[in-house]
Amino acid sequence: EAGVTQFPSHSVIEKGQTVTLRCDPISGHDNLYWYRRVMGKEIKFLLHFVKESKQDESGMPNNRFLAERTGGTYSTLKVQPAELEDSGVYFCASSQRHTYEQYFGPGTRLTVT
Amino acid sequence: DAKTTQPPSMDCAEGRAANLPCNHSTISGNEYVYWYRQIHSQGPQYIIHGLKNNETNEMASLIITEDRKSSTLILPHATLRDTAVYYCIVRAPTPTGNMLTFGGGTRLMVKP
Protein backbone atom coordinates (compact mmCIF):
# COMPACT_ATOMS: atom_id res chain seq x y z
CA GLU A 1 0.00 0.00 0.00
CA ALA A 2 1.42 3.37 -1.00
CA GLY A 3 1.92 5.88 1.76
CA VAL A 4 1.15 9.56 1.84
CA THR A 5 3.03 11.37 -0.88
CA GLN A 6 3.84 15.05 -1.18
CA PHE A 7 5.07 17.13 -4.05
CA PRO A 8 7.43 18.85 -4.44
CA SER A 9 9.92 17.68 -1.86
CA HIS A 10 11.58 21.07 -1.89
CA SER A 11 10.56 24.44 -3.27
CA VAL A 12 12.55 27.66 -3.33
CA ILE A 13 10.65 30.80 -4.27
CA GLU A 14 11.06 34.53 -3.90
CA LYS A 15 9.00 36.64 -1.59
CA GLY A 16 5.76 37.65 -3.26
CA GLN A 17 5.58 34.60 -5.51
CA THR A 18 2.99 31.86 -5.37
CA VAL A 19 3.60 28.23 -4.50
CA THR A 20 1.25 25.26 -4.54
CA LEU A 21 1.97 22.17 -2.50
CA ARG A 22 0.28 18.88 -3.22
CA CYS A 23 -0.60 15.97 -0.98
CA ASP A 24 -1.87 12.56 -2.04
CA PRO A 25 -3.27 10.68 0.96
CA ILE A 26 -3.45 6.95 1.40
CA SER A 27 -6.24 5.58 -0.77
CA GLY A 28 -9.50 5.37 1.12
CA HIS A 29 -8.51 7.79 3.85
CA ASP A 30 -11.27 10.35 4.25
CA ASN A 31 -9.38 12.49 6.73
CA LEU A 32 -6.55 14.68 5.49
CA TYR A 33 -4.52 17.08 7.61
CA TRP A 34 -1.95 19.75 6.91
CA TYR A 35 0.73 20.67 9.44
CA ARG A 36 3.86 22.75 9.26
CA ARG A 37 7.06 23.34 11.15
CA VAL A 38 8.63 26.73 10.76
CA MET A 39 12.26 27.27 11.70
CA GLY A 40 12.95 26.50 15.34
CA LYS A 41 9.32 25.97 16.20
CA GLU A 42 7.13 22.98 16.94
CA ILE A 43 4.97 21.20 14.40
CA LYS A 44 1.67 23.04 14.18
CA PHE A 45 -1.72 21.98 12.83
CA LEU A 46 -3.06 23.99 9.90
CA LEU A 47 -6.31 22.39 8.81
CA HIS A 48 -8.31 19.22 8.47
CA PHE A 49 -10.45 17.88 5.64
CA VAL A 50 -13.07 15.18 5.84
CA LYS A 51 -13.45 14.12 2.24
CA GLU A 52 -13.76 17.42 0.36
CA SER A 53 -15.08 19.44 3.31
CA LYS A 54 -12.96 21.60 5.56
CA GLN A 55 -13.65 20.31 9.04
CA ASP A 56 -11.30 22.60 10.92
CA GLU A 57 -9.14 25.37 9.55
CA SER A 58 -8.38 27.04 12.85
CA GLY A 59 -4.65 26.65 12.36
CA MET A 60 -4.39 28.50 9.06
CA PRO A 61 -2.16 31.51 9.76
CA ASN A 62 -3.83 34.03 7.45
CA ASN A 63 -5.72 34.45 4.20
CA ARG A 64 -2.58 34.05 2.10
CA PHE A 65 -3.04 30.31 2.61
CA LEU A 66 -5.70 28.44 0.65
CA ALA A 67 -6.28 24.71 0.90
CA GLU A 68 -8.48 22.66 -1.36
CA ARG A 69 -9.43 19.04 -1.70
CA THR A 70 -11.58 18.74 -4.77
CA GLY A 71 -13.29 15.38 -5.09
CA GLY A 72 -12.05 14.28 -1.72
CA THR A 73 -8.84 12.80 -3.04
CA TYR A 74 -5.63 14.80 -3.21
CA SER A 75 -5.25 18.18 -1.59
CA THR A 76 -3.39 21.33 -2.49
CA LEU A 77 -2.13 24.11 -0.27
CA LYS A 78 -1.46 27.39 -2.02
CA VAL A 79 0.51 30.22 -0.52
CA GLN A 80 -0.05 33.54 -2.27
CA PRO A 81 1.86 35.79 -1.93
CA ALA A 82 4.61 33.99 -0.04
CA GLU A 83 6.41 35.78 2.78
CA LEU A 84 9.75 35.02 4.40
CA GLU A 85 8.09 33.67 7.55
CA ASP A 86 6.32 31.00 5.51
CA SER A 87 9.58 29.11 5.15
CA GLY A 88 9.47 25.73 6.80
CA VAL A 89 8.44 22.13 6.27
CA TYR A 90 4.83 21.42 5.38
CA PHE A 91 3.52 17.99 6.28
CA CYS A 92 0.40 16.25 5.13
CA ALA A 93 -1.19 13.35 6.99
CA SER A 94 -4.18 11.11 6.41
CA SER A 95 -6.25 8.72 8.46
CA GLN A 96 -9.22 6.45 8.04
CA ARG A 97 -12.53 7.69 9.33
CA HIS A 98 -12.77 5.40 12.27
CA THR A 99 -9.19 4.87 13.31
CA TYR A 100 -7.00 7.36 15.01
CA GLU A 101 -3.53 6.90 13.67
CA GLN A 102 -2.38 9.55 11.26
CA TYR A 103 0.09 8.63 8.57
CA PHE A 104 2.39 11.42 7.56
CA GLY A 105 4.03 12.20 4.27
CA PRO A 106 7.71 13.10 3.96
CA GLY A 107 6.95 16.80 3.87
CA THR A 108 7.65 19.68 1.49
CA ARG A 109 10.46 22.00 2.47
CA LEU A 110 9.52 25.54 1.45
CA THR A 111 12.17 28.20 1.32
CA VAL A 112 11.10 31.79 0.68
CA THR A 113 13.97 34.14 -0.16
CA ASP B 1 -5.95 19.02 25.16
CA ALA B 2 -4.01 17.97 28.22
CA LYS B 3 -0.52 19.38 28.45
CA THR B 4 2.35 16.89 28.37
CA THR B 5 5.83 17.15 29.83
CA GLN B 6 8.75 15.21 28.43
CA PRO B 7 12.49 15.39 29.09
CA PRO B 8 14.16 17.26 26.23
CA SER B 9 16.74 14.58 25.58
CA MET B 10 17.82 11.07 26.52
CA ASP B 11 20.59 8.68 25.60
CA CYS B 12 20.31 4.92 25.26
CA ALA B 13 22.85 2.22 24.47
CA GLU B 14 22.19 0.19 21.36
CA GLY B 15 20.46 -3.09 22.19
CA ARG B 16 19.18 -1.86 25.50
CA ALA B 17 15.62 -0.87 26.32
CA ALA B 18 14.77 2.79 25.88
CA ASN B 19 12.22 4.06 28.39
CA LEU B 20 10.74 7.43 27.48
CA PRO B 21 8.59 9.07 30.15
CA CYS B 22 5.71 11.46 29.69
CA ASN B 23 3.79 13.36 32.31
CA HIS B 24 0.17 14.28 31.62
CA SER B 25 -1.23 15.01 35.05
CA THR B 26 -4.25 16.95 33.74
CA ILE B 27 -5.46 14.23 31.39
CA SER B 28 -9.23 13.80 31.11
CA GLY B 29 -11.10 10.53 31.18
CA ASN B 30 -11.77 10.45 27.45
CA GLU B 31 -8.27 11.45 26.34
CA TYR B 32 -5.93 8.97 24.73
CA VAL B 33 -2.15 8.95 24.94
CA TYR B 34 -0.44 8.83 21.55
CA TRP B 35 3.21 8.46 20.72
CA TYR B 36 4.76 9.58 17.46
CA ARG B 37 8.36 9.98 16.47
CA GLN B 38 10.18 11.99 13.86
CA ILE B 39 13.38 10.65 12.44
CA HIS B 40 15.56 13.38 11.00
CA SER B 41 14.16 14.90 7.79
CA GLN B 42 11.19 12.54 7.68
CA GLY B 43 7.53 13.01 8.48
CA PRO B 44 6.26 12.04 11.93
CA GLN B 45 5.59 8.34 12.36
CA TYR B 46 2.82 6.84 14.47
CA ILE B 47 4.09 4.42 17.11
CA ILE B 48 1.33 3.46 19.50
CA HIS B 49 -1.59 4.79 21.49
CA GLY B 50 -3.68 3.81 24.50
CA LEU B 51 -6.45 4.90 26.82
CA LYS B 52 -5.81 3.18 30.14
CA ASN B 53 -4.57 -0.33 29.50
CA ASN B 54 -1.01 -1.09 28.61
CA GLU B 55 -0.50 -1.63 24.91
CA THR B 56 2.10 -3.43 22.85
CA ASN B 57 2.73 -3.65 19.14
CA GLU B 58 5.61 -4.58 16.91
CA MET B 59 7.34 -1.28 17.51
CA ALA B 60 6.95 -0.57 21.20
CA SER B 61 5.08 -0.95 24.46
CA LEU B 62 3.07 1.74 26.19
CA ILE B 63 2.73 1.63 29.95
CA ILE B 64 0.10 3.95 31.44
CA THR B 65 -0.06 4.41 35.20
CA GLU B 66 -3.25 3.47 36.98
CA ASP B 67 -4.13 7.12 37.65
CA ARG B 68 -3.30 7.88 33.98
CA LYS B 69 -1.22 10.88 34.96
CA SER B 70 1.91 9.56 33.32
CA SER B 71 3.04 7.01 30.79
CA THR B 72 6.21 5.40 29.49
CA LEU B 73 7.04 4.39 25.96
CA ILE B 74 9.36 1.40 25.86
CA LEU B 75 11.48 0.45 22.89
CA PRO B 76 12.63 -3.00 24.02
CA HIS B 77 15.83 -3.26 22.02
CA ALA B 78 16.84 0.14 20.73
CA THR B 79 18.79 0.35 17.49
CA LEU B 80 20.66 3.23 15.91
CA ARG B 81 17.68 3.73 13.61
CA ASP B 82 15.53 4.55 16.63
CA THR B 83 17.41 7.82 17.06
CA ALA B 84 14.64 10.39 16.69
CA VAL B 85 12.48 12.94 18.45
CA TYR B 86 9.65 11.20 20.30
CA TYR B 87 6.40 13.02 20.93
CA CYS B 88 3.85 12.19 23.60
CA ILE B 89 0.46 13.65 22.67
CA VAL B 90 -2.73 13.53 24.68
CA ARG B 91 -5.92 13.99 22.77
CA ALA B 92 -9.61 13.18 22.89
CA PRO B 93 -10.52 12.09 19.38
CA THR B 94 -13.53 13.85 17.94
CA PRO B 95 -16.07 11.97 15.82
CA THR B 96 -14.66 13.31 12.61
CA GLY B 97 -11.09 14.22 13.29
CA ASN B 98 -8.12 14.03 15.53
CA MET B 99 -5.67 16.88 15.04
CA LEU B 100 -2.39 16.41 16.84
CA THR B 101 -0.72 19.00 19.05
CA PHE B 102 3.04 18.45 19.04
CA GLY B 103 5.20 19.74 21.84
CA GLY B 104 8.96 19.74 22.03
CA GLY B 105 9.28 15.99 22.42
CA THR B 106 12.25 13.98 23.68
CA ARG B 107 15.30 13.71 21.49
CA LEU B 108 16.48 10.11 21.89
CA MET B 109 20.04 9.38 20.91
CA VAL B 110 20.87 5.69 20.59
CA LYS B 111 24.59 5.16 20.88
CA PRO B 112 26.66 2.18 19.79
Side-chain angles (χ1 to χ4, degrees), chain A residues 31 33 35 37 42-45 48 50 55-56 58 91 97 100-107 109, chain B residues 32 34 36 38 41-46 49 87 93-104:
Chain A
N31 294 273
Y33 306 81
Y35 296 82
R37 182 203 294 273
E42 299 166 354
I43 299 172
K44 294 292 187 184
F45 165 80
H48 167 216
V50 177
Q55 189 68 28
D56 181 355
S58 61
F91 295 105
R97 181 188 293 273
Y100 306 125
E101 312 92 270
Q102 292 184 21
Y103 297 90
F104 282 76
R109 180 173 297 277
Chain B
Y32 285 73
Y34 298 81
Y36 282 77
Q38 186 177 23
S41 298
Q42 298 182 19
Q45 178 189 24
Y46 166 80
H49 76 279
Y87 298 96
T94 65
T96 53
N98 187 19
M99 74 177 196
L100 301 172
T101 302
F102 291 85

Side-chain angles (χ1 to χ4, degrees), chain A residues 28-93:
Chain A
H29 282 194
D30 289 338
N31 294 273
L32 187 150
Y33 306 81
W34 284 97
Y35 296 82
R36 75 172 181 176
R37 182 203 294 273
V38 295
M39 185 66 70
K41 300 289 183 63
E42 299 166 354
I43 299 172
K44 294 292 187 184
F45 165 80
L46 294 178
L47 86 158
H48 167 216
F49 285 97
V50 177
K51 296 185 178 179
E52 66 276 9
S53 300
K54 292 177 184 175
Q55 189 68 28
D56 181 355
E57 50 185 328
S58 61
M60 294 287 264
N62 52 61
N63 59 10
R64 296 186 293 104
F65 289 75
L66 175 64
E68 295 180 322
R69 192 182 182 195
T70 306
T73 55
Y74 70 91
S75 174
T76 58
L77 180 64
K78 179 189 289 188
V79 185
Q80 178 183 29
E83 297 289 344
L84 298 178
E85 64 264 25
D86 300 331
S87 294
V89 183
Y90 290 75
F91 295 105
C92 173

Side-chain angles (χ1 to χ4, degrees), chain A residues 14-28:
Chain A
E14 294 182 352
K15 176 183 172 182
Q17 290 186 322
T18 298
V19 63
T20 299
L21 314 180
R22 173 170 171 147
C23 167
D24 286 79
I26 294 172
S27 178

Side-chain angles (χ1 to χ4, degrees), chain B residues 56-89:
Chain B
T56 295
N57 63 20
E58 65 278 5
M59 289 183 67
S61 294
L62 173 61
I63 307 298
I64 303 174
T65 58
E66 191 169 345
D67 63 8
R68 303 209 321 123
K69 292 184 177 181
S70 66
S71 60
T72 301
L73 178 74
I74 301 172
L75 308 178
H77 305 287
T79 71
L80 298 179
R81 288 175 294 182
D82 292 322
T83 292
V85 179
Y86 287 77
Y87 298 96
C88 170
I89 299 169

